[in-house]
Amino acid sequence: THVTADVETAFRGVGSQFTDTLVPQEDGDGVRFAALAPSRPQRRVTNHAEVEVPDLSPAASLTQVPAAAEDVLAEVQEAGDNIAFAINWTSQDPECDIDMRIHSTGSAAELYYGQTQTEYGTLYRDVRQSGSIRSDGTDYQNWEWAKIHHERLSDVTLWLNAYKTTKPATVRVICVWQGTRREQTIELNGTGDEGHALIRPLSSAWKKVDWQ
């Protein structure tokens, strides 16, 4: 804050008083500076990014999977005895938050941001915003991915939920199963419901992914 009695100076632009620049720091396993608001309870974010103004237009959609997720996808593809999912999305709403909700037949547990480990799977990452943070598309931190510890795709149900958004979202979904990597693009046109739909198939904030 600058205080002056000179009217001309008061209306003249003044440069920022802060000169320090955030620099990525490897303080832990994949830990970097974050630009995420801690407004949602029980959210867990394990990878973060240097603070920058986001470019979340559809044109900034990422075309490359991050190394950490790619390791899981490649491992499952080579072994052929598990299932892996990965998602990324773009939206004109910079606060758009899409979640994966996964069930497996025979278990009452749901794999999602509030329960990242079940007897049948692991959700490695949950984020609140996706797309490219950097305009050159080199930041790949905004992906979510999960591994299912069996190969029965017919037993697995994958739902996409628009947890928070005011505008449509385009979701890129990758599935690795029986040594094959498949991909599809899904449009979510509903506004966010914070995961509270009573009947998911009737809600525009939810979409069931069909791989059959």
Side-chain angles (χ1 to χ4, degrees):
T1 302
H2 298 271
V3 179
T4 177
D6 181 51
V7 175
E8 182 178 347
T9 300
F11 285 94
R12 186 167 56 243
V14 180
S16 172
Q17 59 182 312
F18 302 105
T19 58
D20 293 340
T21 301
L22 291 178
V23 178
Q25 297 180 358
E26 298 299 333
D27 292 332
D29 183 13
V31 175
R32 290 176 286 171
F33 286 109
L36 303 176
S39 59
R40 176 166 155 188
Q42 297 183 329
R43 280 304 241 182
R44 187 181 75 170
V45 181
T46 57
N47 293 63
H48 304 295
E50 179 181 352
V51 176
E52 290 191 15
V53 177
D55 174 8
L56 296 174
S57 64
S61 179
L62 301 181
T63 58
Q64 184 169 342
V65 179
E70 190 60 58
D71 287 345
V72 174
L73 297 177
E75 176 189 354
V76 171
Q77 186 169 356
E78 181 177 358
D81 57 355
N82 292 135
I83 304 168
F85 298 112
I87 68 169
N88 176 255
W89 65 92
T90 55
S91 173
Q92 292 298 328
D93 181 353
E95 300 297 321
C96 179
D97 180 2
I98 307 298
D99 288 329
M100 283 195 290
R101 297 278 192 134
I102 304 172
H103 287 92
S104 182
T105 301
S107 173
E110 181 173 56
L111 191 63
Y112 74 115
Y113 69 84
Q115 185 168 239
T116 58
Q117 186 73 51
T118 67
E119 69 272 22
Y120 62 81
T122 301
L123 177 64
Y124 289 92
R125 189 105 192 278
D126 173 72
V127 296
R128 300 194 199 174
Q129 298 173 353
S130 191
S132 177
I133 294 295
R134 299 178 186 275
S135 59
D136 61 5
T138 59
D139 241 354
Y140 306 135
Q141 77 281 3
N142 286 326
W143 281 74
E144 298 185 7
W145 62 95
K147 180 179 179 181
I148 307 303
H149 305 313
H150 62 71
E151 57 181 336
R152 304 183 306 277
L153 186 60
S154 60
D155 284 353
V156 178
T157 302
L158 170 60
W159 286 92
L160 300 179
N161 171 233
Y163 181 92
K164 178 182 179 182
T165 191
T166 59
K167 298 182 181 299
T170 299
V171 187
R172 178 184 176 190
V173 187
I174 297 173
C175 173
V176 176
W177 177 58
Q178 292 188 339
T180 301
R181 180 166 172 161
R182 291 180 280 179
E183 184 173 332
Q184 60 177 289
T185 300
I186 292 177
E187 301 294 330
L188 277 173
N189 297 314
T191 56
D193 70 350
E194 297 188 349
H196 293 153
L198 295 178
I199 305 177
R200 293 180 180 181
L202 300 182
S203 172
S204 59
W206 292 79
K207 185 82 73 170
K208 183 179 178 182
V209 183
D210 185 8
W211 294 102
Q212 304 303 317

